[in-house]
Amino acid sequence: MFPYYEFSNGCRAPPWRQIQGEICYVLVKPHDAETLCITCSKEGVFLNGGKTDDEEEINYERKGEIYKDLVTLLREKSAKFSENMSQQEGRFNEEQQKEKDQPNEAPEEEAAALRKASTASRRSALEKKQISLGRSQMTKRLEPSLNWKTTVDAEENKSSLRDTQEEKHGGRLEKSRPSASPGRAQLLRKSAEKIEEIISESSSESEEDEEPPDHLQEANADLPSEYWQIQKLVKYLKGGNQTATVIALCSMKDFNLAQETCQLAIRDVGGLEVLINLLETDEVKCKIGSLKILKEISHNPQIRRNIVDLGGLPVMVNILDSPHKSLKCLAAETIANVAKFRRAWRAVRRHGGITKLVALLDCRQPSAEPAQPGLHEARDGEVARCGALALWSCSKSCANKEAIRRAGGIPLLARLLKTSREDMLIPVVATLQECASEENYRAAIKAERIIENLVKNLSSENKQLQEHCAMAICQCAEDEETRDLVRLRGGLRPLASLLSNTDNKERLAAVTGAVWKCSISKENVTKFREYKAIEALVGLLTDQPEEVLVNAVGALGECCQEPEGRVTVRKRGGLQPLVDLLVGTNRALLVNVTKAVGACAVEPESMMIIDHLDGVRLLWSLLKNPHPDVKASAAWALCPCIQNAKDAGEMVRSFVGGLELVVNLLKSDNKEVLASVCAAITNIAKDQENLAVITDHGVVPLLSKLANTNNDKLRRHLAEAISRCCMWGRNRVAFGKHKAVAPLVRNLKSNDTSVHRATAQALYQLSEDADNCVTMHEKGAVKVLLTSSVVQSQLCQCGLGRNLSDVKVLLKGVFEHTKLPTCCITAGCK
Amino acid sequence: MNRKKLQKLTDSLTKNCKHFNKFEVKCLINLFYNLVGDVTERQGVVVGLDRNAFRNILHMTFGMTDDMIMDRVFRGFDKDNDGYITVSEWVYGLSVFLRGTLEEKMKYCFAVFDLNGDGFISKEEMFHMLKNSLLKQPSEEDPDEGIKDLVEITLRKMDHDHDGKLSFADYERAVREETLLLEAFGPCLPDPKSQKEFEAQVFKDPNEFNEV
């Protein structure tokens, strides 16, 4: 372009024009106007006289108004530009706001961006593309701030963010002018990092291109005064003796350490290194002061990572051995704050931290301290409390859970659970609750009689404590014995009464979770009914967060396994909200809702309502859900619906493409889906017309293909489906052709009675075809049927009258068709 | 000294000292006379530790290094200001020094820091006590700038009535808010480790003591 040369001050204008305050000249070709030749000067931007004939020179004279920046000028000159810019308006304004304090720079930077574009194509006539390139760079440049505001797409933005960063580096080097932007950009980026904290590698990556903190000193314009004060204090920490250090630490502690500016300031001036170094000295007071600060600033996720990167955790773990209780407490509390991500959990464990933290829980330990309390000393209970806090943080990792157990943490936690101090109980119960996700913990919790205390604390005044207790019960109640224990210890009543307390959603989610798991036991459902829990649960079906809904619906699903529960739900108007929830998207919720609706559909009266609400159609459409567990749950729920609906056949046919959908689900590779779909097909096939349709859709070969399974649940439902499908046309022969018979005979070797029954039934149906009988005979079906201990015992136990007659009839049928004497049945009875 | 007299001394000192039991007082008296050496008691001559001997103990046993603070500690022990620490001053001083309550320690420390004894810790006194607390950076124009700043920081933190100096009330309030400020202007109490070592060594089990 015009004068190519860039002067050391960053200007591209010739020296004699620089005196006038001019910086550079830009050619812009808007979409809808002539090429504009623009001068950028300290006063603003304006149109100049344009290129002279000389090509190398321009007419420097001003030919128009001075605008405050390039954008304003271009908006004035080009309608198209103005239109496009207004689309970017929101974002642009934001940036403008931030740049307000450096009015000179904003235009300059934009000009630089545009200039880049124009240089790329200098000489050649400027085309539309370049202009848009310039613009896209400009919008890109705005991104860091966008990233800062919006929390989404952190990962996606990352690459462009870095690109932008690189560009900025390049741009700055080229211009080599003192700039406030690196500091600011860094501050912004740091906030962005915070958002990305969860994506673990991203933060370490972005730390790589972190500029050295020295850069920040250039950016004094927009740094808060705290920053400078903190920097000074860190200097005293570095260069002071114990006395100066303690004074500096105390003074630093007076800053608002909850504020991110201060937290990051400490880090950026190298304070973290110093604070961690202090932990390695022998000075108790310095250690205490340092930990007090670290404890506060480690609430910041970035600082946590920095502390771990600087190796702070091993040092703190070592302090846990200190004879000073308050030091131990502070170290444990800081660990509790820092250990919030995987790398930290591992660091604590690898350095023996879990064992030491567990040791803190033991308050009976004879203390090595002199009898009288020292100056900085804390109570014994305090040590245990801080230990529990740290364990709570660490117990989110499975390996740590195991380490806590091995270090003997469970009995200690159980002992602490007997206190009445709420601040102690919360971390203790929370740790137990985290750990209760592990099988061996649940066993230990049962053995240590922990449930009793959890139940007791459900009646505490403290909401958080109630929440954790309910969560712990929820976790442990996977186990049947524990469910009984909760009932025996009187835990069901407080749980039921907490259901009516809906203001605290976290607690409500925990309580409904506990109710759900407990209601898996029938005796508990009876109790819940007595405490009017079902009514309360129905009330929770609307206007609640998803976590609560999932649990409440899950609980209703269990309660509705009993006729009384179903009646209550129907009478309380629970069916409408349940059916409404069928249109949701939450996977766990859908699984539970379908189960609950299915359970209700068992009752014909409820079924009428569900049908009326179009619930069956909704269930059917859930068969298209991408998640297999939702599919399976929906298919199971459809079974009672089809059984109990009036004109079920007609209803099923009314779903366009519904039957084809069901048949095609037989191609799934999920056993549960297959079993549920087989069950649904059994019910669908009760209607002759539908059976005809699914036969046309090829149900026979698909079912036959499944016959080779080892899964008893699938075997049973498959056999039932096969025997149903035999009722149509030449399906029996078709099953034989598709080699379904031989594997069915093998099913007889299963130990599951229901598989036997279903299989015998299917074989009975299949045996009406002579070829199938031959296959059965070849595979020794008769022998197996006769020797099968299950069949024999069924035959012999007169108590199971129904089964007996069933099997008799079945066997009879089989034997008739295989042309064996019927007297064999009597032989079989022996 | 004869046994009877020793017994009497022990009893009277034990009565006035709430932090040590009789056995511990006896041990401390023994230690005192070991330190003082075999000086025969005569009328008019004070038996006690002089400044140098006491500073030596502070340095060797409790790891103190700051000359000025050690002098002040000596003055703190030497209640009657006669340049010698007598046996009762010794026992009484050590009871605060080793086992004092927070209140006692605050009074003691304040007295140590109040160099001229006017009841206030002035800026000048602070400066005096802190002047060696920072590593001097040759690059700086005013090497004392850091110290001055440190004094300002301390005042901002502790001078609640904003009169530019610390009264005991200021000091007490600041220490109660943050115990770390007890020894704000220099270590004048034993660090826990040397305290423990000292006590372990001096208050040996009597039987063990006899054997040795």
mmCIF file with all atom_site columns, all heavy atoms in Angstrom, chain A residues 82-95:
data_model
loop_
_atom_site.group_PDB
_atom_site.id
_atom_site.type_symbol
_atom_site.label_atom_id
_atom_site.label_alt_id
_atom_site.label_comp_id
_atom_site.label_asym_id
_atom_site.label_entity_id
_atom_site.label_seq_id
_atom_site.pdbx_PDB_ins_code
_atom_site.Cartn_x
_atom_site.Cartn_y
_atom_site.Cartn_z
_atom_site.occupancy
_atom_site.B_iso_or_equiv
_atom_site.pdbx_formal_charge
_atom_site.auth_seq_id
_atom_site.auth_comp_id
_atom_site.auth_asym_id
_atom_site.auth_atom_id
_atom_site.pdbx_PDB_model_num
ATOM 1   N N   . SER A 1 82 ? -23.282 -0.869  7.148  1.00 0.00 ? 82 SER A N   1
ATOM 2   C CA  . SER A 1 82 ? -24.041 -0.500  8.332  1.00 0.00 ? 82 SER A CA  1
ATOM 3   C C   . SER A 1 82 ? -25.005 -1.618  8.719  1.00 0.00 ? 82 SER A C   1
ATOM 4   O O   . SER A 1 82 ? -25.123 -1.993  9.889  1.00 0.00 ? 82 SER A O   1
ATOM 5   C CB  . SER A 1 82 ? -24.804 0.791   8.042  1.00 0.00 ? 82 SER A CB  1
ATOM 6   O OG  . SER A 1 82 ? -25.651 1.095   9.104  1.00 0.00 ? 82 SER A OG  1
ATOM 7   N N   . GLU A 1 83 ? -25.646 -2.174  7.683  1.00 0.00 ? 83 GLU A N   1
ATOM 8   C CA  . GLU A 1 83 ? -26.615 -3.250  7.928  1.00 0.00 ? 83 GLU A CA  1
ATOM 9   C C   . GLU A 1 83 ? -25.920 -4.468  8.551  1.00 0.00 ? 83 GLU A C   1
ATOM 10  O O   . GLU A 1 83 ? -26.355 -5.023  9.545  1.00 0.00 ? 83 GLU A O   1
ATOM 11  C CB  . GLU A 1 83 ? -27.240 -3.619  6.587  1.00 0.00 ? 83 GLU A CB  1
ATOM 12  C CG  . GLU A 1 83 ? -28.371 -4.611  6.662  1.00 0.00 ? 83 GLU A CG  1
ATOM 13  C CD  . GLU A 1 83 ? -28.681 -5.097  5.251  1.00 0.00 ? 83 GLU A CD  1
ATOM 14  O OE1 . GLU A 1 83 ? -28.776 -4.241  4.329  1.00 0.00 ? 83 GLU A OE1 1
ATOM 15  O OE2 . GLU A 1 83 ? -28.775 -6.302  5.058  1.00 0.00 ? 83 GLU A OE2 1
ATOM 16  N N   . ASN A 1 84 ? -24.819 -4.849  7.936  1.00 0.00 ? 84 ASN A N   1
ATOM 17  C CA  . ASN A 1 84 ? -24.089 -6.008  8.460  1.00 0.00 ? 84 ASN A CA  1
ATOM 18  C C   . ASN A 1 84 ? -23.566 -5.768  9.868  1.00 0.00 ? 84 ASN A C   1
ATOM 19  O O   . ASN A 1 84 ? -23.525 -6.678  10.689 1.00 0.00 ? 84 ASN A O   1
ATOM 20  C CB  . ASN A 1 84 ? -22.902 -6.331  7.547  1.00 0.00 ? 84 ASN A CB  1
ATOM 21  C CG  . ASN A 1 84 ? -23.359 -7.036  6.284  1.00 0.00 ? 84 ASN A CG  1
ATOM 22  O OD1 . ASN A 1 84 ? -24.443 -7.616  6.269  1.00 0.00 ? 84 ASN A OD1 1
ATOM 23  N ND2 . ASN A 1 84 ? -22.564 -6.959  5.242  1.00 0.00 ? 84 ASN A ND2 1
ATOM 24  N N   . MET A 1 85 ? -23.172 -4.517  10.075 1.00 0.00 ? 85 MET A N   1
ATOM 25  C CA  . MET A 1 85 ? -22.620 -4.223  11.400 1.00 0.00 ? 85 MET A CA  1
ATOM 26  C C   . MET A 1 85 ? -23.693 -4.297  12.472 1.00 0.00 ? 85 MET A C   1
ATOM 27  O O   . MET A 1 85 ? -23.440 -4.747  13.583 1.00 0.00 ? 85 MET A O   1
ATOM 28  C CB  . MET A 1 85 ? -21.998 -2.824  11.412 1.00 0.00 ? 85 MET A CB  1
ATOM 29  C CG  . MET A 1 85 ? -20.568 -2.783  10.970 1.00 0.00 ? 85 MET A CG  1
ATOM 30  S SD  . MET A 1 85 ? -19.550 -4.021  11.731 1.00 0.00 ? 85 MET A SD  1
ATOM 31  C CE  . MET A 1 85 ? -19.211 -3.245  13.299 1.00 0.00 ? 85 MET A CE  1
ATOM 32  N N   . SER A 1 86 ? -24.901 -3.850  12.121 1.00 0.00 ? 86 SER A N   1
ATOM 33  C CA  . SER A 1 86 ? -25.929 -3.843  13.161 1.00 0.00 ? 86 SER A CA  1
ATOM 34  C C   . SER A 1 86 ? -26.247 -5.270  13.612 1.00 0.00 ? 86 SER A C   1
ATOM 35  O O   . SER A 1 86 ? -26.710 -5.495  14.732 1.00 0.00 ? 86 SER A O   1
ATOM 36  C CB  . SER A 1 86 ? -27.177 -3.118  12.692 1.00 0.00 ? 86 SER A CB  1
ATOM 37  O OG  . SER A 1 86 ? -27.484 -3.508  11.388 1.00 0.00 ? 86 SER A OG  1
ATOM 38  N N   . GLN A 1 87 ? -25.975 -6.214  12.716 1.00 0.00 ? 87 GLN A N   1
ATOM 39  C CA  . GLN A 1 87 ? -26.169 -7.603  13.162 1.00 0.00 ? 87 GLN A CA  1
ATOM 40  C C   . GLN A 1 87 ? -25.155 -7.979  14.230 1.00 0.00 ? 87 GLN A C   1
ATOM 41  O O   . GLN A 1 87 ? -25.400 -8.814  15.077 1.00 0.00 ? 87 GLN A O   1
ATOM 42  C CB  . GLN A 1 87 ? -26.027 -8.547  11.970 1.00 0.00 ? 87 GLN A CB  1
ATOM 43  C CG  . GLN A 1 87 ? -27.230 -8.452  11.043 1.00 0.00 ? 87 GLN A CG  1
ATOM 44  C CD  . GLN A 1 87 ? -26.952 -9.115  9.710  1.00 0.00 ? 87 GLN A CD  1
ATOM 45  O OE1 . GLN A 1 87 ? -25.976 -9.835  9.565  1.00 0.00 ? 87 GLN A OE1 1
ATOM 46  N NE2 . GLN A 1 87 ? -27.816 -8.862  8.767  1.00 0.00 ? 87 GLN A NE2 1
ATOM 47  N N   . GLN A 1 88 ? -24.011 -7.356  14.111 1.00 0.00 ? 88 GLN A N   1
ATOM 48  C CA  . GLN A 1 88 ? -22.958 -7.661  15.089 1.00 0.00 ? 88 GLN A CA  1
ATOM 49  C C   . GLN A 1 88 ? -23.061 -6.758  16.299 1.00 0.00 ? 88 GLN A C   1
ATOM 50  O O   . GLN A 1 88 ? -22.314 -6.892  17.246 1.00 0.00 ? 88 GLN A O   1
ATOM 51  C CB  . GLN A 1 88 ? -21.575 -7.434  14.457 1.00 0.00 ? 88 GLN A CB  1
ATOM 52  C CG  . GLN A 1 88 ? -21.428 -8.011  13.109 1.00 0.00 ? 88 GLN A CG  1
ATOM 53  C CD  . GLN A 1 88 ? -20.888 -9.419  13.173 1.00 0.00 ? 88 GLN A CD  1
ATOM 54  O OE1 . GLN A 1 88 ? -20.556 -9.889  14.236 1.00 0.00 ? 88 GLN A OE1 1
ATOM 55  N NE2 . GLN A 1 88 ? -20.822 -10.081 12.043 1.00 0.00 ? 88 GLN A NE2 1
ATOM 56  N N   . GLU A 1 89 ? -23.991 -5.840  16.192 1.00 0.00 ? 89 GLU A N   1
ATOM 57  C CA  . GLU A 1 89 ? -24.113 -4.752  17.155 1.00 0.00 ? 89 GLU A CA  1
ATOM 58  C C   . GLU A 1 89 ? -23.870 -5.188  18.594 1.00 0.00 ? 89 GLU A C   1
ATOM 59  O O   . GLU A 1 89 ? -22.984 -4.680  19.266 1.00 0.00 ? 89 GLU A O   1
ATOM 60  C CB  . GLU A 1 89 ? -25.514 -4.127  17.056 1.00 0.00 ? 89 GLU A CB  1
ATOM 61  C CG  . GLU A 1 89 ? -25.680 -2.874  17.860 1.00 0.00 ? 89 GLU A CG  1
ATOM 62  C CD  . GLU A 1 89 ? -25.281 -1.667  17.054 1.00 0.00 ? 89 GLU A CD  1
ATOM 63  O OE1 . GLU A 1 89 ? -24.098 -1.572  16.660 1.00 0.00 ? 89 GLU A OE1 1
ATOM 64  O OE2 . GLU A 1 89 ? -26.135 -0.820  16.795 1.00 0.00 ? 89 GLU A OE2 1
ATOM 65  N N   . GLY A 1 90 ? -24.694 -6.138  19.022 1.00 0.00 ? 90 GLY A N   1
ATOM 66  C CA  . GLY A 1 90 ? -24.662 -6.530  20.434 1.00 0.00 ? 90 GLY A CA  1
ATOM 67  C C   . GLY A 1 90 ? -23.251 -6.807  20.882 1.00 0.00 ? 90 GLY A C   1
ATOM 68  O O   . GLY A 1 90 ? -22.764 -6.271  21.874 1.00 0.00 ? 90 GLY A O   1
ATOM 69  N N   . ARG A 1 91 ? -22.565 -7.624  20.093 1.00 0.00 ? 91 ARG A N   1
ATOM 70  C CA  . ARG A 1 91 ? -21.225 -8.002  20.484 1.00 0.00 ? 91 ARG A CA  1
ATOM 71  C C   . ARG A 1 91 ? -20.282 -6.825  20.443 1.00 0.00 ? 91 ARG A C   1
ATOM 72  O O   . ARG A 1 91 ? -19.434 -6.653  21.290 1.00 0.00 ? 91 ARG A O   1
ATOM 73  C CB  . ARG A 1 91 ? -20.712 -9.077  19.533 1.00 0.00 ? 91 ARG A CB  1
ATOM 74  C CG  . ARG A 1 91 ? -21.511 -10.344 19.634 1.00 0.00 ? 91 ARG A CG  1
ATOM 75  C CD  . ARG A 1 91 ? -20.774 -11.443 18.953 1.00 0.00 ? 91 ARG A CD  1
ATOM 76  N NE  . ARG A 1 91 ? -21.373 -11.734 17.674 1.00 0.00 ? 91 ARG A NE  1
ATOM 77  C CZ  . ARG A 1 91 ? -20.835 -12.593 16.822 1.00 0.00 ? 91 ARG A CZ  1
ATOM 78  N NH1 . ARG A 1 91 ? -19.701 -13.188 17.122 1.00 0.00 ? 91 ARG A NH1 1
ATOM 79  N NH2 . ARG A 1 91 ? -21.414 -12.841 15.683 1.00 0.00 ? 91 ARG A NH2 1
ATOM 80  N N   . PHE A 1 92 ? -20.486 -6.003  19.425 1.00 0.00 ? 92 PHE A N   1
ATOM 81  C CA  . PHE A 1 92 ? -19.557 -4.918  19.253 1.00 0.00 ? 92 PHE A CA  1
ATOM 82  C C   . PHE A 1 92 ? -19.650 -3.938  20.409 1.00 0.00 ? 92 PHE A C   1
ATOM 83  O O   . PHE A 1 92 ? -18.634 -3.504  20.965 1.00 0.00 ? 92 PHE A O   1
ATOM 84  C CB  . PHE A 1 92 ? -19.865 -4.209  17.938 1.00 0.00 ? 92 PHE A CB  1
ATOM 85  C CG  . PHE A 1 92 ? -18.878 -3.140  17.624 1.00 0.00 ? 92 PHE A CG  1
ATOM 86  C CD1 . PHE A 1 92 ? -17.597 -3.485  17.227 1.00 0.00 ? 92 PHE A CD1 1
ATOM 87  C CD2 . PHE A 1 92 ? -19.214 -1.813  17.738 1.00 0.00 ? 92 PHE A CD2 1
ATOM 88  C CE1 . PHE A 1 92 ? -16.681 -2.506  16.939 1.00 0.00 ? 92 PHE A CE1 1
ATOM 89  C CE2 . PHE A 1 92 ? -18.288 -0.837  17.454 1.00 0.00 ? 92 PHE A CE2 1
ATOM 90  C CZ  . PHE A 1 92 ? -17.022 -1.179  17.045 1.00 0.00 ? 92 PHE A CZ  1
ATOM 91  N N   . ASN A 1 93 ? -20.872 -3.630  20.789 1.00 0.00 ? 93 ASN A N   1
ATOM 92  C CA  . ASN A 1 93 ? -21.069 -2.676  21.872 1.00 0.00 ? 93 ASN A CA  1
ATOM 93  C C   . ASN A 1 93 ? -20.331 -3.111  23.120 1.00 0.00 ? 93 ASN A C   1
ATOM 94  O O   . ASN A 1 93 ? -19.711 -2.308  23.803 1.00 0.00 ? 93 ASN A O   1
ATOM 95  C CB  . ASN A 1 93 ? -22.549 -2.554  22.209 1.00 0.00 ? 93 ASN A CB  1
ATOM 96  C CG  . ASN A 1 93 ? -23.239 -1.658  21.209 1.00 0.00 ? 93 ASN A CG  1
ATOM 97  O OD1 . ASN A 1 93 ? -22.562 -0.996  20.439 1.00 0.00 ? 93 ASN A OD1 1
ATOM 98  N ND2 . ASN A 1 93 ? -24.556 -1.660  21.217 1.00 0.00 ? 93 ASN A ND2 1
ATOM 99  N N   . GLU A 1 94 ? -20.439 -4.387  23.348 1.00 0.00 ? 94 GLU A N   1
ATOM 100 C CA  . GLU A 1 94 ? -19.800 -4.926  24.532 1.00 0.00 ? 94 GLU A CA  1
ATOM 101 C C   . GLU A 1 94 ? -18.310 -4.597  24.537 1.00 0.00 ? 94 GLU A C   1
ATOM 102 O O   . GLU A 1 94 ? -17.744 -4.161  25.529 1.00 0.00 ? 94 GLU A O   1
ATOM 103 C CB  . GLU A 1 94 ? -19.976 -6.428  24.460 1.00 0.00 ? 94 GLU A CB  1
ATOM 104 C CG  . GLU A 1 94 ? -19.965 -7.102  25.767 1.00 0.00 ? 94 GLU A CG  1
ATOM 105 C CD  . GLU A 1 94 ? -20.262 -8.553  25.515 1.00 0.00 ? 94 GLU A CD  1
ATOM 106 O OE1 . GLU A 1 94 ? -21.434 -8.874  25.325 1.00 0.00 ? 94 GLU A OE1 1
ATOM 107 O OE2 . GLU A 1 94 ? -19.317 -9.334  25.489 1.00 0.00 ? 94 GLU A OE2 1
ATOM 108 N N   . GLU A 1 95 ? -17.725 -4.810  23.390 1.00 0.00 ? 95 GLU A N   1
ATOM 109 C CA  . GLU A 1 95 ? -16.304 -4.588  23.281 1.00 0.00 ? 95 GLU A CA  1
ATOM 110 C C   . GLU A 1 95 ? -15.988 -3.102  23.420 1.00 0.00 ? 95 GLU A C   1
ATOM 111 O O   . GLU A 1 95 ? -15.061 -2.707  24.101 1.00 0.00 ? 95 GLU A O   1
ATOM 112 C CB  . GLU A 1 95 ? -15.829 -5.121  21.941 1.00 0.00 ? 95 GLU A CB  1
ATOM 113 C CG  . GLU A 1 95 ? -14.351 -4.996  21.723 1.00 0.00 ? 95 GLU A CG  1
ATOM 114 C CD  . GLU A 1 95 ? -13.547 -5.972  22.573 1.00 0.00 ? 95 GLU A CD  1
ATOM 115 O OE1 . GLU A 1 95 ? -14.157 -6.765  23.320 1.00 0.00 ? 95 GLU A OE1 1
ATOM 116 O OE2 . GLU A 1 95 ? -12.324 -5.928  22.497 1.00 0.00 ? 95 GLU A OE2 1
#
